[in-house]
Amino acid sequence: VQLQASGGGLVQPGGSLRLSCVASGFTSTSYSIAWFRQAPGKEREGLSCESNSDRSTYYPVSLKGRFTISRDIAKNQVYLQMNSLEPEDTAVYYCASAPDHCSALGPFAPWKYTNWGQGTLVTVSS
């Protein structure tokens, strides 16, 4: 069971970026998949979760609708579309999975996720 995140890079404030997470060794629909991020000196923060069984999605209120999670079942990939990026969004972004519904995972309790990707760095700067 492996996850690999990619798509990070340098983007200007107000710009957009789409991150990808490729799942291997398991069928992504059997797992809920979430995105987290961690900025230097800060705790890991949950950004979105899409559930395995009913594809329901969860977001923290703090994101104000800027981020959207989606899944391509045929490619076994999950995406995070990020819009209206701000310098405060600079962080390492991770995808994670667990064989439970998002509601059983917090939905953003990191210790409940069993598999993690290696992270991809997003830098928002002019």
Side-chain angles (χ1 to χ4, degrees):
V1 176
Q2 285 190 324
L3 298 171
Q4 185 168 356
S6 63
L10 176 64
V11 61
Q12 293 188 339
S16 298
L17 205 60
R18 189 179 79 158
L19 305 182
S20 298
C21 177
V22 179
S24 59
F26 66 99
T27 303
S28 66
T29 52
S30 61
Y31 281 68
S32 293
I33 296 184
W35 287 95
F36 289 79
R37 69 183 178 189
Q38 189 163 20
K42 294 188 177 181
E43 293 185 353
R44 193 160 294 192
E45 175 187 12
L47 304 173
S48 61
C49 183
E50 183 176 291
S51 298
N52 51 355
S53 56
D54 58 8
R55 305 285 297 277
S56 56
T57 55
Y58 294 75
Y59 300 91
V61 175
S62 59
L63 283 184
K64 301 178 183 178
R66 297 187 297 123
F67 293 4
T68 303
I69 191 171
S70 61
R71 192 187 302 229
D72 186 328
I73 296 174
K75 294 182 178 180
N76 225 22
Q77 290 191 27
V78 177
Y79 306 100
L80 183 68
Q81 177 67 42
M82 306 186 294
N83 299 324
S84 303
L85 286 164
E86 305 165 352
E88 292 74 24
D89 295 316
T90 295
V92 178
Y93 285 68
Y94 301 88
C95 54
S97 68
D100 302 288
H101 195 274
C102 291
S103 60
L105 301 171
F108 302 122
W111 59 89
K112 294 188 177 182
Y113 287 81
T114 53
N115 304 293
W116 290 83
Q118 84 287 0
T120 184
L121 176 62
V122 173
T123 303
V124 185
S125 175
S126 55

